[in-house]
Amino acid sequence: TILSCMNKAVVSTQSTGYVDCMISSPAKDKLMVTTNFCKKFLLDVRSGVLSRSSCSTSVPGVENQRIYKSAENRGCYALATNAGVSLCRWDDVASTSGSVEPRVPFYSVDWIGDNIIAGGENGTLLEVDGNTGTHISSYTAHSGCVNVVRTRDHNTFVSAGFDGVCRVWDRRSKDVEQEFTPSSWQQAKRSKLGTHLTCLDVWDDWVVCGGGPNLSLWYLKEDSGVALLDMGDSVPSVVKFMQDSIVAAGNSSYLLHWGLSGKLKYKVTSKLESIKDITINTTIREQPVLLAAGTPSEVNVFLDLGYLSHTVPFLV
């Protein structure tokens, strides 16, 4: 199973590398942490407390691959790796289908209905059958790599990438319904940092995105930017809608929380130099637990989304 321990974890006296992403089990009681050294560590989550397993884990089919992003649907996981898209189940990775062609790096993945949409290095979006791993269709989506893709509803999704364009797609027609370029909004433009987009999230008709341009909130029905979420000179790497807030982080130690109006609610300092991924767990406690990971290779645990409880260090 995905919980099987293959090799003992090495505990270092100093941190090396960084965490690529965190993958929660369907019950939210386990967390798999993946690093840029292709390591996968299993953590137990109990009452908001993370404790590192004494073992590292290996997922068949992706033992020597970096896992950049993951998405879960009814216990089935889609993994975006440096060799393609892989499918597996938490409780039965023997069913993994391996990488789906073409074998190029994919940086983002999400479920749309029972299928998977993945964004790749060559500007391609790939739609894959979530049951069989069969390649259904491809989209020539962007002029550079696709950094992020997020599902909007059962038939539409949003992609963004190196070319700095956000596109809303309809998988039925395979056409672009709408597109906008955040760097064209003067308030969000940061010329010295470029126009590329590194992160986005979508909730109903709202899109939040950023990268070279500052983080900004867009309302699709008006096709306009409605709020600037100022991150200073920080380049965001992850952003998520959560309840009545937007939570984001990037190449600094801060986690920032805004209201949907764009007003900064609070700024929390982590023990990380930079943050690559965040996940919010609402099942293990009455109040949400926020987990942040990045550089160095460790996980910071925040209770009530703001209080830094403890750290699970040195996942090397």
Side-chain angles (χ1 to χ4, degrees), residues 11-310:
V11 180
S12 173
T13 56
Q14 60 180 6
S15 61
T16 57
Y18 54 83
V19 171
D20 274 323
C21 79
M22 295 178 286
I23 308 170
S24 295
S25 67
K28 309 301 182 186
D29 60 339
K30 304 287 183 184
L31 188 76
M32 180 169 285
V33 181
T34 74
T35 76
N36 61 318
F37 292 144
C38 306
K39 294 280 190 178
K40 293 92 180 173
F41 293 91
L42 182 67
L43 303 175
D44 292 322
V45 184
R46 295 188 178 92
S47 301
V49 177
L50 283 173
S51 59
R52 181 173 45 191
S53 165
S54 61
C55 304
S56 64
T57 69
S58 181
V59 182
V62 292
E63 294 96 335
N64 299 311
Q65 296 176 22
R66 285 180 65 181
I67 300 174
Y68 295 114
K69 292 294 179 184
S70 74
E72 183 260 342
N73 181 32
R74 297 194 299 272
C76 187
Y77 288 77
L79 308 177
T81 80
N82 61 336
V85 181
S86 289
L87 302 175
C88 66
R89 289 192 174 276
W90 187 271
D91 58 353
D92 186 15
V93 294
S95 65
T96 183
S97 64
S99 293
V100 178
E101 297 296 336
R103 293 182 64 85
V104 297
F106 278 77
Y107 300 119
S108 188
V109 65
D110 206 357
W111 289 85
I112 185 163
D114 291 327
N115 293 342
I116 297 160
I117 293 290
E121 185 175 72
N122 55 5
T124 297
L125 285 166
L126 198 66
E127 184 172 0
V128 175
D129 187 299
N131 295 311
T132 66
T134 303
H135 176 195
I136 296 174
S137 59
S138 298
Y139 306 70
T140 302
H142 293 269
S143 59
C145 64
V146 182
N147 289 329
V148 61
V149 57
R150 290 288 181 270
T151 296
R152 181 185 180 196
D153 56 36
H154 190 73
N155 289 306
T156 62
F157 62 93
V158 185
S159 66
F162 189 78
D163 59 5
V165 181
C166 274
R167 291 191 167 99
V168 183
W169 299 83
D170 190 315
R171 66 170 178 156
R172 295 164 295 188
S173 64
K174 297 180 174 56
D175 290 332
V176 176
E177 281 193 338
Q178 194 174 350
E179 70 176 46
F180 58 92
T181 305
S183 61
S184 66
W185 188 27
Q186 193 60 35
Q187 287 180 266
K189 186 176 182 180
R190 298 189 294 186
S191 299
K192 63 181 180 180
L193 296 178
T195 62
H196 63 284
L197 297 172
T198 53
C199 65
L200 75 79
D201 200 13
V202 59
W203 174 57
D204 196 20
D205 292 320
W206 297 90
V207 173
V208 59
C209 58
N214 219 327
L215 203 65
S216 54
L217 181 65
W218 295 71
Y219 187 52
L220 294 179
K221 287 187 175 180
E222 296 181 1
D223 196 22
S224 62
V226 297
L228 179 71
L229 311 178
D230 188 14
M231 294 190 67
D233 290 331
S234 178
V235 176
S237 56
V238 58
V239 62
K240 292 187 179 183
F241 285 105
M242 199 217 66
Q243 298 176 347
D244 60 347
S245 299
I246 298 167
V247 182
N251 61 345
S252 72
S253 61
Y254 299 113
L255 281 160
L256 298 106
H257 300 240
W258 292 270
L260 296 181
S261 66
K263 182 179 179 180
L264 183 65
K265 296 171 73 172
Y266 45 94
K267 183 178 180 179
V268 181
T269 303
S270 73
K271 291 186 177 181
L272 300 164
E273 297 169 12
S274 64
I275 299 171
K276 293 276 290 181
D277 195 18
I278 58 176
T279 185
I280 296 118
N281 191 315
T282 59
T283 63
I284 57 175
R285 296 178 75 249
E286 290 184 3
Q287 297 298 320
V289 175
L290 188 148
L291 310 173
T295 306
S297 295
E298 61 186 41
V299 177
N300 285 193
V301 183
F302 295 85
L303 303 183
D304 304 329
L305 304 183
Y307 165 66
L308 179 57
S309 170
H310 62 283

